[in-house]
Amino acid sequence: MKRIELFGCPMDAATMDEAVEWIGQRIAARQFTQHVVVNVAKLVHMQNDARLAESVRACDIVNIDGMGVVWGARLLGHDVPERVAGVDLFDRLLAHAATRGYPVFLLGGTGSVVERAAQACIGRHARLDIAGHHHGYFWDDEEAVVQAIRASRARLLFVAITSPKKENFINRWKNELGVDFVMGVGGTFDVIAGKVRRAPRWMQRCGLEWLFRVMQEPRRMWRRYLGTNSRFALMLGRAWLATRRG
């Protein structure tokens, strides 16, 4: 994998297969690995959120999830082979864990969503060992949840909580979790549990997943995507002009 930097954020320009292989090697060696994916929204918010930026930069591997970031990096001259979508990487790593007997822990979503997500994961990967799961509304007693994760003896932890909460939670407690690998997966449990539909493949390839989410939840999403997409376009335009002048 080749590491690049875009708007102050380190990123690993990798294929899905390269990311899975690299992560698998570290888990087998019991090397703790903190993982994150970055998309347009996260990259934009990192510019003004120092704590989020610190949590992302602390990660051992930073995959690019979002065609906007892929295209932006390529426009600025970086060789980015493909997008590594968090939901797809999650499924690949579940398959990896199932074949090797690695227990996993699912953290996030509502109680019913994480329960359905756990059952759906087992349905997809029959030999998968779900060491435990917990909803994502635990901020009055974080330490108890951390202790439960550690007591479960899970090797992989997936955290489905909104940004920047999940990144900061992982970075804050990484030395206490007792796992070999931890990854923030955002709204993945909602997709796996069937609560939210994923965009069709053609929209994913065209970088229009954000539009599909707006179509599903217009009142909640339109301001968010309008703001972050506009700011990213401005950042990208300035960076491109700077390279031309340079």
Side-chain angles (χ1 to χ4, degrees), residues 69-85:
V69 180
V70 171
W71 292 332
R74 289 174 179 171
L75 179 66
L76 298 179
H78 297 291
D79 182 17
V80 178
E82 66 180 13
R83 168 196 181 200
V84 179

Side-chain angles (χ1 to χ4, degrees), residues 122-139:
I122 293 171
R124 289 176 64 88
H125 307 284
R127 290 186 290 169
L128 183 65
D129 179 5
I130 301 288
H133 57 76
H134 195 284
H135 63 76
Y137 302 90
F138 55 85
W139 305 109

